[in-house]
Amino acid sequence: MRDSRETFINHAFVVGHPIKHSRSPLIHGYWLEALGIPGSYTRQDVAPEAFAAFIAELKGADRRFVGGNVTIPHKEAAFRLADRPDALSEELGAANTLWVEDGLVHATNTDGRGFVANLDERAPGWDRTGRAVVFGAGGASRAVLQALRDRGIAEIHVVNRTLARARELADRFGEKIHAHPVEALGEVMDAAGLFVNTTSLGMDGEPAPELDFAALAPEAIVTDIVYVPLKTPFLLQAERQGLATVDGLGMLLHQAVPGFEKWFGQRPAVDATLRQRIIDDMEHHA
C-alpha cells in the first residue's frame, strides 16, 4: 500500500548483475522529466545470492521502491519469488516487471508486448501474414513466440541449431509452433511474411552467417531483437535483398511503457526524441 503522505515520491529500479550498461534509466528518466512527475529510476546491482533478500525488502515496512524492472540474470528468479505472477509470466517462467500492491509483489513480462508494439509502430500491417520464422530458441525467443501466437499468426516456425531446444518451445507454446533444425531454414522461409532473429549473432560486432532471404514473401518484414548495432548484419543482408526491416531498439522502448504506467500512474509515449536520445547514447559508448 502506498504511503499517503504528500511528501511520498515514487522510486523505481532496474535490477541485474551487472547492470551499469542498462539504458532503462535513460528511458524512464526521460519520461519522468517530460511528464513532470516527481520520482526516480535507478540501477540496482544485485548478485544472484542476494536477489531473494532484495525481493523480500520490496515488501518491508521500510521499502524504498514501488516496483521495477528485472534483467539478466534474475528474470526467472523474479518469477519464482513473486507473490502474484500473471498469466504471461507464468507461461514464460520469467518476469521483467514487478510492482508492489497490498503488500505483495506482482509480476508480469512485457517483452512480448514491446516486440509487437515496435512492429505495429514501424511496420503497420505486419501481422497480416500467416507464416513467421523465428531464428533461435534461447530465452529471448520465448516472449517473441508467445506474442506472435497471441497476435494470431497461424503458423510459426522456430529454427535452432539444437533441435531439442526448438521442440521444447513448440511443446510449451502449442500447436501453432513448429520446430526445425538450422538445415531447414531455407525451406521454412518459403513465402513467410515475417523473419525474427532472436539470437545474439551479429551483436556488438560479433560475426553472423550470410542468410538468403529470397524465399520470403516480397512484402515480408525482417526484424532483429538485437539493437547494438542498430543495423545488424541480418538487417543489412535483408535490405540488400530488397526487403523491409525493423530494428530492435523499439522493442526496448515499448517494453518499458507498461511498467512506467504502473509505477508512476501515467502512460508515457515512445517518441522520436526518446529514440534519438538512446541512439546518441549508443554512439557515445560505441
Side-chain angles (χ1 to χ4, degrees):
M1 184 178 295
R2 289 188 177 185
D3 191 325
S4 61
R5 294 173 296 176
E6 292 182 6
T7 55
F8 183 82
I9 295 176
N10 289 345
H11 299 287
F13 61 83
V14 57
V15 60
H17 184 70
I19 197 62
K20 65 179 180 179
H21 297 301
S22 172
R23 292 184 170 89
S24 291
L26 275 178
I27 298 170
H28 292 280
Y30 170 81
W31 286 333
L32 287 169
E33 181 182 353
L35 295 169
I37 297 173
S40 73
Y41 184 98
T42 55
R43 297 179 182 90
Q44 302 293 312
D45 193 323
V46 177
E49 59 271 20
F51 187 67
F54 178 83
I55 294 297
E57 286 176 10
L58 292 180
K59 300 183 288 185
D62 298 324
R63 67 184 180 90
R64 298 174 289 157
F65 300 109
V66 293
N69 288 124
V70 182
T71 189
I72 295 170
H74 300 315
K75 289 186 178 184
E76 293 182 359
F79 161 72
R80 291 193 303 269
L81 293 167
D83 301 302
R84 294 289 186 270
D86 70 357
L88 285 172
S89 55
E90 285 270 10
E91 185 176 41
L92 292 170
N96 76 338
T97 303
L98 305 175
W99 67 98
V100 181
E101 190 175 312
D102 298 327
L104 300 175
V105 175
H106 295 247
T108 189
N109 195 303
T110 65
D111 285 333
R113 281 175 277 180
F115 173 75
V116 296
N118 183 37
L119 288 173
D120 286 340
E121 177 191 4
R122 306 192 74 82
W126 66 271
D127 54 350
R128 287 195 289 265
T129 184
R131 174 183 286 195
V133 176
V134 175
F135 189 41
S141 67
R142 292 185 178 192
V144 169
L145 291 169
Q146 184 186 59
L148 292 175
R149 181 203 64 193
D150 291 352
R151 180 54 75 95
I153 306 300
E155 193 178 309
I156 305 164
H157 299 273
V158 58
V159 178
N160 195 58
R161 181 173 53 84
T162 306
L163 180 58
R165 293 284 296 274
R167 284 179 172 157
E168 178 187 332
L169 295 183
D171 291 341
R172 177 184 289 263
F173 294 107
E175 60 186 15
K176 289 185 177 182
I177 316 299
H178 307 276
H180 307 274
V182 169
E183 293 76 20
L185 183 59
E187 179 183 348
V188 300
M189 285 169 71
D190 186 42
L194 179 69
F195 178 94
V196 187
N197 175 47
T198 68
T199 75
S200 60
L201 293 169
M203 179 188 290
D204 253 341
E206 292 296 314
E210 285 286 332
L211 297 183
D212 183 3
F213 293 104
L216 294 176
E219 70 280 4
I221 305 295
V222 175
T223 188
D224 200 322
I225 67 168
V226 170
Y227 62 89
V228 180
L230 204 58
K231 287 285 185 75
T232 67
F234 290 135
L235 297 186
L236 290 171
Q237 291 170 30
E239 286 182 354
R240 287 196 295 268
Q241 295 178 51
L243 293 169
T245 63
V246 174
D247 63 63
L249 178 55
M251 179 178 175
L252 172 72
L253 303 178
H254 284 284
Q255 64 80 29
V257 169
F260 186 95
E261 184 177 23
K262 179 68 71 173
W263 309 317
F264 301 114
Q266 292 190 50
R267 188 169 183 83
V270 173
D271 58 24
T273 304
L274 173 60
R275 179 179 167 85
Q276 191 58 51
R277 181 171 292 194
I278 303 303
I279 292 172
D280 291 345
D281 181 73
M282 288 161 52
E283 292 175 347
H284 178 70
H285 291 96

